[in-house]
Amino acid sequence: GARALGATPGDDKWGHATQHAGRAACYRRARALAKAVEECDAAVALFPKYARAHFRRGICLVELERPEEAMKSFQRLLSLDRNWPKLCEWLVRAQSQAKRQEHGGGAGAP
């Protein structure tokens, strides 16, 4: 991968993690959701307690119709910060999406 960011020294895990999370936000706005999830994965690999990255990852996974994975992200966030804004409503959204998929058989095909 391209490591020519230069802005943060190699040992600055938090700096790198926030860069990944920032890129994830950009990808999400561009609707490149799978890439956004990859950036969130990279952020939490560097900084496992990065609440915002877990939250953003969960949202992208809901939007990708991957609710089981989304719930794992939201539950991880719940263990880090129970009072995260809008966490509960996104968790409920993921749970109802998972139920719909169970009953509807697979992700909502177009």
Side-chain angles (χ1 to χ4, degrees):
R3 277 282 160 264
L5 293 167
T8 54
D11 61 346
D12 183 7
K13 279 190 181 173
W14 175 244
H16 284 304
T18 56
Q19 285 174 346
H20 284 298
R23 280 199 291 273
C26 294
Y27 281 130
R28 182 174 174 238
R29 278 195 292 275
R31 310 313 295 156
L33 297 168
K35 279 208 115 27
V37 171
E38 283 171 27
E39 292 292 345
C40 291
D41 287 343
V44 297
L46 286 164
F47 205 85
K49 289 190 163 78
Y50 193 177
R52 182 173 301 281
H54 286 290
F55 186 59
R56 198 165 278 157
R57 182 178 190 274
I59 290 173
C60 290
L61 287 164
V62 168
E63 291 171 343
L64 282 165
E65 301 197 4
R66 288 157 60 186
E68 303 291 336
E69 292 170 80
M71 284 190 284
K72 287 193 185 100
S73 283
F74 293 140
Q75 280 155 356
R76 180 87 185 93
L77 173 54
L78 207 54
S79 71
L80 296 170
D81 183 354
R82 301 195 72 76
N83 301 312
W84 191 268
K86 296 202 167 123
L87 173 57
C88 286
E89 66 189 62
W90 277 99
L91 191 50
V92 167
R93 196 178 297 190
Q95 286 165 336
S96 64
Q97 191 180 73
K99 277 200 185 76
R100 268 200 313 278
Q101 287 183 9
E102 250 169 56
H103 300 302

